[in-house]
């Protein structure tokens, strides 16, 4: 299984394991009876220096199910805490183990984690397993997010285990191999603040700075600079989510990566009909994590990080609070600024003025009133002279259309900046009915539709037939649609 090329092999290191032992537990994955490789990401494998794995699917299935440890692996489960729907809990990797940090051919350090690999000391009452359906779903959505240009964890493989997993009824089990810049979460810092010493909190902070924000480690106040960096990265991330209509579904602090990669694709989905209150998660009964609530929830979660870092920001608590509060107070202004910039790009407004915010606001109000499709409206606008959409041809849109056209005359133009629109408006997204159809087919043994949809989603800004771009979502599908955590 090994090659002569030193850059294409298992090159696992374990810097996280050098943290104080309170942050993890050594934990081998549990063996499974019949591992079978059903999904393998060849492009990602090549980027990681693991392209050789595709040559031997049987051996790879053993490695990526946990039956055999790769060369140099030192598996562990990470400890963390988190606010789940606003309630604080002590948590940890209850069904995942970190094999190590792969050093890719470019020298990048990438976590390799097996998800669904069995019980750990943090499983509480869980079985530590995962279903084939939920692991294929994470593979599909995370790869779609990657190709949309949104920071995300990625999926290397799905291996079925040959055993049943019980979630109200029996399901086929599977293990997902997930990669990430790291699996450090805001919840990891909550854990350090609540259950560890100040020295251990400092060790975690220094490690995070060294690994992810090395330009901040020599600052006068490194902890404060870490808070600023994490906040700015998360503002950009949530703006990207809003750009494509993505709803994370369970934005607990333990589901927010310190590197601002989208992580933990449980009850996530994409919004079709524009409505800020859209929720698909079966467990989000109050709409806490609805589409339009994501920015304030991200701010809330970053505030939790600020609270965890207070002892390192200043030994004087009042001063620490004042410094952290000043950072957090800047969230709304910076988010609003970047969100409007993004929306101007979606509308092809190359030379925006402050009054154009009204153009954005009015369009969204009209879309919500008329139940317009969020993705398709912006594709319609790119048709410019002859839009497809019935919504844009309504009487209600006439005044808006006139004001929008006026924005194009600046700089001597007479039409929207289509090159700008093409970079931010996807022509295809993982439509909920597409996703469910291919998953139902996949768990019955036919992976062809799944792979075909993956191929379509790999070029979201490319050219696609109108029947894909402007497909009518089945009537009432989203009204009844629910997504689930899979645990």
């Amino acid at each position: 299984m090994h090659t002569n090329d030193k850059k294409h092999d298992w090159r696992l290191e374990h810097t996280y394991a050098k943290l104080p032992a309170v942050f993890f537990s050594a934990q081998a994955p549990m063996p499974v009876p019949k591992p079978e490789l059903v999904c393998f990401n060849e492009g990602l494998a090549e980027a990681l220096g693991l392209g050789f794995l595709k040559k031997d699917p049987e051996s790879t299935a053993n490695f990526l199910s946990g039956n055999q440890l790769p060369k140099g692996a030192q598996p562990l489960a990470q400890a963390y805490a988190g606010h789940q729907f606003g309630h604080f809990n002590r948590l940890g990797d209850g069904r995942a183990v970190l094999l190590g940090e792969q050093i890719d051919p470019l020298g990048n350090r990438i976590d390799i984690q097996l998800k669904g690999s069995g019980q750990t000391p943090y499983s509480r009452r869980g079985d530590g397993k995962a279903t084939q359906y939920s692991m294929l779903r994470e593979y599909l959505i995370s790869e779609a997010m990657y190709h949309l240009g949104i920071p995300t964890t990625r999926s290397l493989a799905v291996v079925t285990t040959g055993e049943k997993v019980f979630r109200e009824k029996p399901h086929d089990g599977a293990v997902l191999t997930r990669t990430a810049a790291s699996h450090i979460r805001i919840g990891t810092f909550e854990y350090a603040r609540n259950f560890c010493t100040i020295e251990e909190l400092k060790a975690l902070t220094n490690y995070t700075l060294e690994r992810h924000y090395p330009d901040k480690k020599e600052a006068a106040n490194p902890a404060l600079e870490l808070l600023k960096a994490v906040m700015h990265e998360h503002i950009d991330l949530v703006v990207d989510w809003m750009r494509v209509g993505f709803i994370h579904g369970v934005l607990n602090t333990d589901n927010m990566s310190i590197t601002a990669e989208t992580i933990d694709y449980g009850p996530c989905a994409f919004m079709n009909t524009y409505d800020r209150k859209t929720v698909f998660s079966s467990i989000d009964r109050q709409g806490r994590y609805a589409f339009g609530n994501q920015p304030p929830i991200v701010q809330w979660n970053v505030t939790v990080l600020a609270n965890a870092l207070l002892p390192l920001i200043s030994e004087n608590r009042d001063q620490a609070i004042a410094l952290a509060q000043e950072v957090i107070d800047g969230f709304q202004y910076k988010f609003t600024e970047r969100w409007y910039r993004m929306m101007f790009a979606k509308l092809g407004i190359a030379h925006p003025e402050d009054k154009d915010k009204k153009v954005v606001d009015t369009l969204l109000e009209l879309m919500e009133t008329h139940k317009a499709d969020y993705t398709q409206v912006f594709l319609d606008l790119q048709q410019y002279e002859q839009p497809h959409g019935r919504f844009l041809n309504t009487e209600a849109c006439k005044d808006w259309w006139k004001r929008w056209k006026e924005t194009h005359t600046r700089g001597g133009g007479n039409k929207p900046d289509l090159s700008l629109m093409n970079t931010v408006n996807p022509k295809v997204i993982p439509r909920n009915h597409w996703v469910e159809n291919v998953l139902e087919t996949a768990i019955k043994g036919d992976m062809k539709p799944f792979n075909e949809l993956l191929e379509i989603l790999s070029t979201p800004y490319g050219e696609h037939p109108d029947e894909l771009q402007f497909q009518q979502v089945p009537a009432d599908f989203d009204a009844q649609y629910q997504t689930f955590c899979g645990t």
Side-chain angles (χ1 to χ4, degrees):
M1 281 295 289
H2 302 309
T3 70
N4 293 323
D5 185 347
K6 294 292 185 184
K7 291 186 177 181
H8 290 80
D9 202 345
W10 289 106
R11 301 176 67 211
L12 294 172
E13 294 185 357
H14 308 279
T15 59
Y16 190 88
K18 295 177 182 177
L19 282 169
V22 69
F23 288 111
F24 60 89
S25 297
Q27 177 64 57
M30 294 176 65
V32 302
K34 190 180 178 184
E36 182 180 348
L37 189 66
V38 295
C39 216
F40 184 71
N41 192 332
E42 291 190 13
L44 177 57
E46 286 292 338
L48 291 168
L50 298 175
F52 61 90
L53 290 175
K54 68 183 178 183
K55 299 175 183 176
D56 188 347
E58 185 176 339
S59 182
T60 297
N62 276 317
F63 283 132
L64 302 184
S65 65
N67 275 12
Q68 180 182 350
L69 291 179
K71 182 184 69 174
Q74 294 177 19
L76 60 83
Q78 294 178 327
Y80 49 84
H83 274 85
Q84 300 181 302
F85 288 88
H87 302 286
F88 182 71
N89 290 294
R90 186 169 183 162
L91 305 164
D93 286 332
R95 57 170 181 163
V97 295
L98 179 67
L99 294 179
E101 302 140 20
Q102 173 74 1
I103 308 303
D104 74 12
L106 298 177
N108 300 309
R109 182 178 303 277
I110 309 293
D111 275 8
I112 307 285
Q113 185 195 68
L114 301 184
K115 184 174 179 179
S117 56
Q119 289 184 322
T120 76
Y122 314 110
S123 296
R124 295 179 288 173
R125 296 181 299 278
D127 60 13
K129 304 291 187 175
T131 67
Q132 180 185 2
Y133 177 96
S134 60
M135 296 301 92
L136 284 175
R137 194 171 194 279
E138 175 158 347
Y139 187 109
L140 181 73
I141 303 296
S142 63
E143 283 305 292
M145 292 286 276
Y146 170 76
H147 290 293
L148 283 164
I150 299 174
T152 180
T153 58
R154 295 191 67 187
S155 300
L156 177 61
V158 174
V159 177
T160 53
T161 61
E163 61 187 1
K164 293 296 181 182
V165 175
F166 290 87
R167 301 288 183 270
E168 297 177 351
K169 64 178 183 179
H171 296 264
D172 290 332
V175 175
L176 174 83
T177 305
R178 180 165 71 184
T179 70
S182 82
H183 284 82
I184 302 170
R185 308 154 187 267
I186 286 180
T188 314
F189 282 82
E190 284 190 276
Y191 172 82
R193 179 76 162 89
N194 286 276
F195 303 111
C196 303
T197 66
I198 296 298
E199 286 306 310
E200 288 163 341
L201 171 64
K202 188 179 293 184
L204 175 66
T205 302
N206 289 341
Y207 174 78
T208 302
L209 285 162
E210 180 70 40
R211 181 166 175 180
H212 297 303
Y213 301 100
D215 58 321
K216 310 295 183 188
K217 64 181 182 178
E218 301 299 333
N221 193 328
L224 189 66
E225 292 304 313
L226 175 62
L227 176 63
K228 290 179 186 177
V230 171
M231 186 180 84
H232 283 277
E233 296 283 349
H234 276 93
I235 288 172
D236 287 341
L237 179 64
V238 74
V239 167
D240 257 340
W241 291 349
M242 307 301 275
R243 174 172 65 84
V244 299
F246 176 75
I247 307 166
H248 185 281
V250 61
L251 268 179
N252 299 329
T253 54
D254 55 295
N255 293 338
M256 282 187 62
S257 162
I258 207 70
T259 62
E261 289 182 305
T262 313
I263 191 171
D264 289 328
Y265 291 90
C268 65
F270 282 74
M271 177 180 66
N272 291 312
T273 300
Y274 180 74
D275 184 347
R276 288 176 51 81
K277 299 185 184 70
T278 302
V279 173
F280 293 117
S281 170
S282 63
I283 58 175
D284 191 3
R285 297 181 181 88
Q286 305 302 317
R288 177 181 174 89
Y289 300 138
F291 175 73
N293 282 352
Q294 292 180 124
I297 285 295
V298 168
Q299 181 180 15
W300 193 92
N301 289 347
V302 173
T303 304
V304 169
L305 174 64
N307 186 62
L309 289 171
L310 287 179
L312 304 186
I313 291 173
S314 175
E315 293 180 0
N316 181 308
R317 181 173 173 78
D318 289 341
Q319 184 179 11
I321 291 172
L323 290 169
Q325 190 65 55
E326 184 179 3
V327 174
I328 299 300
D329 286 346
F331 184 101
Q332 187 58 48
Y333 171 79
K334 291 179 174 65
F335 167 78
T336 302
E337 179 186 43
R338 295 179 197 181
W339 180 81
Y340 272 115
R341 189 191 312 156
M342 175 272 290
M343 291 301 296
F344 292 147
K346 286 180 75 67
L347 289 170
I349 303 175
H351 305 283
E353 296 178 358
D354 200 57
K355 64 182 180 181
D356 295 334
K357 292 177 181 178
K358 185 65 175 174
V359 175
V360 172
D361 298 342
T362 302
L363 176 63
L364 294 179
E365 289 166 9
L366 288 167
M367 287 170 64
E368 192 152 15
T369 299
H370 293 270
K371 298 183 173 8
D373 186 285
Y374 183 69
T375 300
Q376 291 187 2
V377 164
F378 294 99
L379 296 183
D380 291 335
L381 290 171
Q382 287 171 248
Q383 308 297 319
Y384 190 57
E385 296 296 347
Q386 293 181 315
H388 280 253
R390 289 174 295 174
F391 162 70
L392 291 172
N393 292 317
T394 61
E395 192 69 25
C397 285
K398 277 189 176 179
D399 285 343
W400 179 85
W401 187 275
K402 181 181 177 182
R403 278 184 284 164
W404 178 57
K405 290 188 75 170
E406 288 171 357
T407 68
H408 309 149
T409 60
R410 297 171 203 148
N414 63 358
K415 62 181 181 179
D417 187 332
L418 296 176
S419 62
L420 186 61
M421 297 175 83
N422 278 324
T423 63
V424 295
N425 293 323
K427 294 183 172 65
V428 290
I429 59 169
R431 298 283 186 179
N432 298 326
H433 63 291
W434 290 352
V435 171
E436 295 308 317
N437 287 341
V438 302
L439 288 176
E440 289 298 333
T441 306
I443 62 175
K444 293 173 183 174
D446 182 4
M447 289 292 293
K448 184 180 177 183
F450 181 94
N451 291 325
E452 288 174 346
L453 181 56
L454 263 179
E455 183 66 26
I456 290 168
L457 296 174
S458 70
T459 55
Y461 305 102
E463 292 304 316
H464 293 278
D466 279 0
E467 57 264 30
L468 291 180
Q469 295 184 58
F470 297 98
Q471 185 185 72
Q472 188 68 37
V473 175
D476 297 328
F477 185 91
D478 281 3
Q480 304 170 30
Y481 185 51
Q482 281 196 321
T483 55
F484 302 88
C485 272
T487 53

